[in-house]
Amino acid sequence: MITAQQLNQQFGIGGQLGFRADPGGLVIAEINNAHATASLCLQGAHLMAWQPKSQPLPVVWLSRDARLVPGKSIRGGVPVCWPWFGAHVSEPAFPAHGFARTVLWRVLESGSEPDGATRLTLRLAESDNTRTQWPHDSRLELTVIAGKTLRMELATENTGVTDFTITEALHTYFRVGDIGAVQVGGLAGCDYWNKVGGSTLGKQNGTIRFTGETDRVYVNTAAECTIEDDILKRRIHIAKSGSRSTVVWTPWTEKANRMGDLGQPDGWREMVCVESANALENAVKVAAGSRHTLVVEYRAEPL
Ligand code: TA6
């Protein structure tokens, strides 16, 4: 496996992008430019944090109980859910949300954008393990551009001769002051599958406020969403393309305690997931020889 030192030689950008070896054996890319700081674990191409320098707190949340362990998903940040979202349709032993977030990705290129943002592109490294779970000729790449905004482009290429279908998500955890003092806008009138206690269909009335466990897959929506935070006095904009589903999730007390890695006693209150996805009936057929890209762009502004 390539070392942090070799990565610094090949892809480091003096004072803006460097790589370090975490004691647990994973490699982390650290970004620090004029506009923002960010960190990304090469395992899963997992963006763990993004904080514009205009913001007193991170916009992307990482659990204080997050563990950097080879082969294990990291709690918080932006998990890449691919090539399926949620449970596998037929193989219960396959990992929830796919394998992309727990396997090694390779750095392809890095650069500094004209506006001073930092760009990093990674490709999922296939293996016998991944091919067992996903026997299709494909290529998955993630480009991250971290600056005043955070842009992420998840590109699926079908390099084979037969079509395949994926579901996917950029499963982003956003930092908020308190889950009880935020509202999510942009999904009014959208149909959603309520995953709490089964799977029932609903229609969103107005903005979303949180008073309990919420786990909804909004379908057939390309809408930009916002998180309005009355405590941190900020609005986070969540723009997307190539995504027809938006997942909104908070575990609330009981599920958070069962999960146990959201930061005791109530770390879960400081985050909300608004995930740009293609899930359920929004699965994406990627024709042989073609490419599909899911793009998100986040920005935070004062309320
Ligand atoms: O996107 C919401 C969700 O599917 C929830 O049901 C919950 O399971 C969450 O993802 C976290 O999943 P994870 O596999 O990362 O623990």
Side-chain angles (χ1 to χ4, degrees), residues 213 251-259 268:
E213 181 182 356
W252 217 254
T253 314
E254 189 191 336
K255 181 160 187 175
N257 289 338
R258 283 203 309 273
M259 294 173 69
W268 60 273

Side-chain angles (χ1 to χ4, degrees), residues 73 75 85 96-97 101 171 173 215 247 249 255 259 275:
S73 60
R75 182 62 64 200
F85 176 82
H97 291 328
R101 63 177 173 167
H171 190 303
Y173 291 71
D215 191 349
V247 183
W249 176 59
K255 181 160 187 175
M259 294 173 69
E275 308 155 35

